[in-house]
C-alpha cells in the first residue's frame, strides 16, 4: 500500500509477511549499504524473529524506494497493550534497533521515512527501543514533526578492537596479572576451537542451548532462552547469518567434546557476542570462560577489521574488568500532535516502571535471580 511520496522516492507500508519474506535480497543490499546497521537489522534476524514471534495482522514495515531500488526501511509492528504502539520487530531478545538508510541518501530518505511513519502513526504511538548512539534513527527523531521524547534504555559495554595483549594492558596491574594467569591455565587445558558450518548450525545451537541451561541452572536463567520458539528462531537466524557472513557459531572442545559454544553476530560496525553456553565442569578445571571467549572474539574482530567488540546489553561485573566503554541505548517516543496526551501518559508509565526496576535493584542486590526479575519488568 502506498502511503506517500517524497520527491523521486516512493514510500510504502508492507503488512504482508509473504512480501517481507521476498525482500531478502534487496534488504540485504540495503543493510550492506547502511554504515550504522547492526546485525539485528539483517533480514535473516528480523524475518526469523517474525516467524517465531509475529502475530497476524500486526506487521508494519516502511519501505522507501527510488524506482525499484530499496533505499530505506523501518521494521515495525503494531501492538495494542498497554497502549496502541508501533514498535520494532525483534522484541526483548534484540539488542539494537535502527532504521535503514542508504549511504549518501540520508537527506532524501530520512524525510521519506518520517513522512511514511507520521502517516502510519495516526492512531498509535511510535516507541523505538534500544537505539544505539549514532544510529540512523537519531536523524528520524530530530526530523519528527509531532511530539517526541528521548529516554535512556539498556546499558551496553564495548571494547575497541585491539590485539588481545593490548586489551589486557588496559586493565589495572593486578587485574592484568590475573588475566595472564587465567590464559596460561586455559592454554594448559588444551581446549580447541572450531567454527560450525551452515549445515552444522542446527546441531550446534542445540548443544549451545543445552550448555547454556547447565551453566545457569539454579542461578536464574532467562526463561525465554529455554523456550522452543527461541531455539527455532536462533537456529533459523544463525544458519542464514552464517551463510551470509553475518554470524559465526564457535565451539570449544576438550578431549573431543564440546564444552562451550558461542554465537557472535557481525556487521561492518561491530562484532557482538550474543549468547554462549559453557559446561559447569570447566570451573573445576580452572578454565575461565569469559577470558577464553574474549580472546577468541578479539582476535577474529581484529582479523576482520571490525572496529568494536561489543558485549551487547548488560553491565555484569565480569565485563567491567576489561574497562569497556559504557554505551547507553536510547528510547524514542514519537506521536502526532493529536496523540500528545497519549504519549505523555505512556512516558509516565515507562518512567514509573524504571523507578520500580531501580528500587528492585537496590532491595535485592544479593538475590540470585534479580537479573531475571529485572528483565521481566523491562519487557513491556
Amino acid at each position: 500500500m502506498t502511503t506517500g511520496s517524497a520527491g523521486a522516492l516512493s514510500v510504502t507500508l508492507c503488512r504482508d509477511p509473504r512480501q517481507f519474506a521476498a525482500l531478502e535480497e534487496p534488504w540485504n543490499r540495503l543493510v550492506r549499504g547502511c554504515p550504522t546497521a547492526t546485525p539485528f537489522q539483517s533480514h535473516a534476524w528480523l524475518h526469523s524473529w517474525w516467524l517465531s514471534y509475529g502475530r497476524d495482522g500486526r506487521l508494519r514495515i516502511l519501505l522507501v524506494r527510488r524506482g525499484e531500488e530499496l533505499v530505506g526501511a523501518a521494521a515495525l509492528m503494531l501492538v495494542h497493550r498497554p497502549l496502541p504502539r508501533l514498535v520494532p520487530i525483534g522484541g526483548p531478545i534484540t539488542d539494537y534497533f535502527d532504521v535503514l538508510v542508504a549511504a549518501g541518501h540520508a537527506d532524501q530518505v530520512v524525510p521519506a521515512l518520517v513522512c511514511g511513519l507520521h502517516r502510519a502513526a495516526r492512531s498509535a504511538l511510535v516507541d523505538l527501543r534500544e537505539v544505539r548512539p549514532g544510529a540512523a534513527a537519531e536523524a528520524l527523531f530530530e526530523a519528527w514533526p509531532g511530539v517526541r521524547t528521548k529516554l535512556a534504555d539498556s546499558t551496553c559495554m564495548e571494547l575497541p578492537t585491539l590485539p588481545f595483549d593490548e586489551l589486557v594492558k588496559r586493565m589495572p596491574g593486578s587485574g592484568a596479572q590475573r588475566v595472564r594467569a587465567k590464559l596460561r591455565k586455559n592454554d594448559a587445558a588444551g581446549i580447541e576451537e572450531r567454527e560450525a558450518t551452515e549445515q552444522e548450525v542446527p546441531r550446534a545451537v542445540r548443544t549451545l542451548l543445552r550448555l547454556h541451561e547447565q551453566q545457569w541452572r539454579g542461578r536464574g536463567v532467562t526463561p525465554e532462552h529455554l523456550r522452543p520458539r527461541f531455539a527455532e528462531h536462533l537456529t533459523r537466524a544463525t544458519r542464514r547469518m552464517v551463510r551470509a557472513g553475518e554470524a559465526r557459531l564457535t565451539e570449544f572442545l576438550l578431549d573431543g567434546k564440546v564444552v562451550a559454544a558461542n554465537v557472535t553476530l557481525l556487521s561492518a560496525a561491530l562484532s557482538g557476542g550474543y549468547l554462549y553456553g559453557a559446561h559447569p565442569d570447566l570451573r573445576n578445571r580452572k578454565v575461565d570462560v569469559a577470558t577464553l571467549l574474549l580472546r577468541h572474539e578479539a582476535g577474529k574482530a581484529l582479523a576482520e577489521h571490525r572496529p568494536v567488540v561489543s558485549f551487547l546489553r548488560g553491565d555484569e561485573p565480569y565485563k567491567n574488568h576489561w574497562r569497556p566503554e559504557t554505551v547507553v541505548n536510547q528510547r524514542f517516543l514519537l506521536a502526532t500532535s493529536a496523540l500528545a496526551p497519549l504519549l505523555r501518559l505512556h512516558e509516565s508509565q515507562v518512567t514509573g516502571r524504571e523507578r520500580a526496576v531501580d528500587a528492585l535493584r537496590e532491595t535485592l542486590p544479593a538475590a540470585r535471580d534479580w537479573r531475571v526479575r529485572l528483565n521481566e519488568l523491562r519487557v513491556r
Side-chain angles (χ1 to χ4, degrees):
M1 179 182 73
T2 300
T3 60
S5 62
L9 305 181
S10 65
V11 187
T12 59
L13 187 65
C14 170
R15 300 178 181 228
D16 184 352
R18 293 170 299 181
Q19 182 185 353
F20 182 30
L23 285 171
E24 179 176 7
E25 186 175 338
W27 191 284
N28 286 340
R29 280 199 301 269
L30 176 58
V31 168
R32 290 191 292 269
C34 181
T36 64
T38 77
F40 299 101
Q41 279 71 66
S42 71
H43 189 272
W45 182 267
L46 294 171
H47 183 249
S48 176
W49 185 93
W50 182 259
L51 291 176
S52 290
Y53 294 89
R55 300 182 64 179
D56 290 344
R58 303 291 182 85
L59 194 65
R60 302 288 189 275
I61 299 181
L62 279 169
L63 303 170
V64 181
R65 292 185 174 91
R66 173 181 285 106
E68 297 299 320
E69 180 187 7
L70 187 65
V71 293
L76 305 172
M77 66 180 189
L78 177 67
V79 298
H80 295 294
R81 294 180 181 178
L83 296 168
R85 291 173 297 146
L86 292 171
V87 302
I89 291 175
I93 65 170
T94 295
D95 290 57
Y96 295 128
F97 167 76
D98 200 2
V99 298
L100 295 173
V101 177
H105 300 290
D107 57 340
Q108 291 181 297
V109 174
V110 170
L113 283 171
V114 169
C115 176
L117 187 56
H118 196 267
R119 289 175 62 90
R122 285 176 294 184
S123 58
L125 305 179
V126 181
D127 188 351
L128 307 181
R129 297 204 58 179
E130 308 299 359
V131 178
R132 188 170 183 249
E138 291 181 336
L140 185 149
F141 177 82
E142 295 299 329
W144 185 253
V147 291
R148 61 187 185 181
T149 296
K150 182 189 302 184
L151 303 173
D153 216 331
S154 299
T155 297
C156 301
M157 300 288 194
E158 298 182 352
L159 288 171
T161 297
L162 296 169
F164 192 71
D165 287 346
E166 295 297 318
L167 292 178
V168 174
K169 289 177 183 178
R170 290 162 51 95
M171 307 177 75
S174 59
Q177 289 177 0
R178 286 193 295 271
V179 168
R180 292 189 182 100
K182 290 175 181 177
L183 288 172
R184 289 193 292 270
K185 292 177 181 177
N186 286 359
D187 291 340
I191 293 177
E192 300 177 347
E193 304 166 357
R194 65 180 298 276
E195 289 189 22
T197 65
E198 176 191 345
Q199 291 73 25
E200 293 171 328
V201 164
R203 186 270 308 159
V205 168
R206 288 194 298 272
T207 301
L208 184 155
L209 292 176
R210 173 175 53 79
L211 291 169
H212 184 75
E213 187 277 330
Q214 292 174 346
Q215 167 193 343
W216 287 99
R217 187 176 296 166
R219 298 190 296 134
V221 67
T222 300
E224 187 60 33
H225 291 165
L226 305 183
R227 294 185 175 127
R229 64 183 181 181
F230 178 78
E232 292 167 1
H233 160 64
L234 189 63
T235 301
R236 184 170 47 232
T238 302
R239 186 167 187 173
R240 286 177 56 188
M241 294 173 81
V242 164
R243 182 196 314 153
E246 299 168 337
R248 60 173 165 264
L249 199 167
T250 307
E251 296 183 315
F252 299 84
L253 294 84
L254 186 60
D255 299 329
K257 295 182 179 180
V258 178
V259 292
N262 183 47
V263 168
T264 306
L265 305 183
L266 308 169
S267 70
L270 60 86
S271 167
Y274 181 69
L275 189 73
Y276 76 94
H279 198 285
D281 283 351
L282 289 177
R283 290 195 294 269
N284 299 329
R285 291 178 175 258
K286 307 300 182 184
V287 172
D288 186 80
V289 175
T291 304
L292 178 75
L293 297 180
L294 182 57
R295 180 168 65 170
H296 176 80
E297 293 305 329
K300 284 288 189 178
L302 188 66
E304 297 164 354
H305 306 292
R306 303 185 197 278
V308 169
V309 176
S310 176
F311 293 116
L312 301 182
R313 291 181 297 177
D315 55 356
E316 293 86 349
Y318 80 88
K319 298 177 181 178
N320 285 299
H321 296 330
W322 299 95
R323 292 193 168 180
E325 179 184 357
T326 298
V327 179
V328 179
N329 285 347
Q330 304 161 97
R331 183 172 188 170
F332 296 157
L333 303 181
L334 312 170
T336 63
S337 298
L339 296 182
L342 204 60
L343 183 143
R344 300 308 174 198
L345 172 62
H346 184 53
E347 181 184 3
S348 67
Q349 292 173 337
V350 168
T351 54
R353 291 192 192 97
E354 293 301 326
R355 286 192 293 269
V357 166
D358 291 340
L360 183 59
R361 187 191 296 269
E362 293 175 2
T363 57
L364 294 176
R368 289 186 295 179
D369 63 343
W370 71 270
R371 283 191 177 86
V372 176
R373 293 191 182 187
L374 290 179
N375 287 339
E376 291 173 347
L377 275 176
R378 288 188 185 277
V379 175
R380 317 281 197 253

